[in-house]
Amino acid sequence: MNSDTNRPVRAGRRPVVGICARTAPVTLQGSDLVVSLALQAHVAFLSEAGCTPLLLPLLPGAEDLAGRLDGLLVPGGPDLDPTLYGAPAHPATRAMDPDADRVELALVGRALEAKVPVLAICRGMQLLNVLHGGTLHQHLADVTGHDGHRPRTPSFTLGRRPLKLLPGSRIAGILDEADPVTACHHHQAVDRLGEGLSATGRAEDGTVEAVEVTDHPFAVGVQWECGQTADKRLHQALAKAAGSTNSQPAAAILRN
């Protein structure tokens, strides 16, 4: 394992890493509520790596914060609105709020322009592809002929697929292992790769499992469920990249 990705960020202040919020209905103390949330593992892993996680609800104006962050994590979630890449909806597509999709696209786009380090996970990787003009397979089983990427079981189960990484790529350096295996749960995937992206990881059936923005110091997308296992390497790599940015002090975002 690459020791560089296991060292906590050590700097004069803790880098601020935004996490795109998801919304979900919950029942709390007998009340039915809709809340903005983030997976606790994302929060904990980034905090352990020396960062201050900041939840970013996907509301108009969120994109204005992009350049004031030291890093951005775009997590998994519902399917993207297919109209964003010019396709009709597949019967299996379960899209999020189209307005939130557009805010998230603007936020990620502004972050990339500002050279903010970005880690995009599952839906996040698909959004990264659409942002660059790519398209998606809306139901992967129609293409691969199997449900290995999203096992059909009574409870949530991660699909374990052998992963082939591009030698010399950033993702290969982060994982630094001979026989990596994904821990995935997705029914959509990259179809046409967007301009300015490199596919740096694939499953044995050809499914794109990792992409990188070619002209960016750290913008990585992975299709597997980073945060649903104990593996912290990608969060640590994002934290390290966030600690190396030379932007204005993003801690000011918490005071203004």
Side-chain angles (χ1 to χ4, degrees), residues 34-224:
V34 177
V35 300
S36 294
L37 52 80
L39 188 65
Q40 182 60 28
H42 294 321
V43 174
F45 291 175
L46 289 171
S47 180
E48 290 170 12
C51 297
T52 298
L54 179 66
L55 189 67
L56 300 175
L58 297 178
L59 298 172
E63 65 273 19
D64 296 334
L65 301 178
R68 303 170 69 187
L69 299 169
D70 295 308
L72 180 65
L73 188 150
V74 190
D79 300 329
L80 286 164
D81 179 0
T83 63
L84 293 171
Y85 49 95
H90 186 283
T93 295
R94 298 293 180 266
M96 197 169 75
D97 178 357
D99 292 335
D101 284 345
R102 286 160 176 78
V103 171
E104 191 166 40
L105 281 165
L107 173 61
V108 175
R110 294 272 286 272
L112 293 175
E113 289 173 3
K115 301 300 182 184
V116 172
V118 174
L119 172 60
I121 300 167
C122 198
R123 166 197 156 93
M125 189 187 97
Q126 296 164 10
L127 181 139
L128 194 63
N129 188 55
V130 170
L131 179 64
H132 286 80
T135 62
L136 303 177
H137 294 301
Q138 289 189 55
H139 194 58
L140 189 55
D142 293 346
V143 179
T144 63
H146 65 81
D147 289 312
H149 294 271
R150 188 179 69 170
R152 294 193 179 190
T153 57
S155 59
F156 183 87
T157 302
L158 295 173
R160 304 286 180 170
R161 315 298 301 179
L163 182 62
K164 184 175 179 59
L165 302 178
L166 181 68
S169 63
R170 184 175 293 279
I171 189 67
I174 292 169
L175 298 186
D176 192 24
E177 58 182 293
D179 299 303
V181 176
T182 65
C184 59
H185 192 88
H186 62 100
H187 83 112
Q188 298 198 340
V190 168
D191 180 7
R192 185 182 72 245
L193 189 66
E195 294 184 11
L197 296 179
S198 295
T200 55
R202 292 182 183 269
E204 84 288 356
D205 58 14
T207 300
V208 176
E209 291 286 338
V211 300
E212 299 176 26
V213 180
T214 55
D215 62 349
H216 193 283
F218 186 99
V220 175
V222 297
Q223 188 58 74
W224 59 89

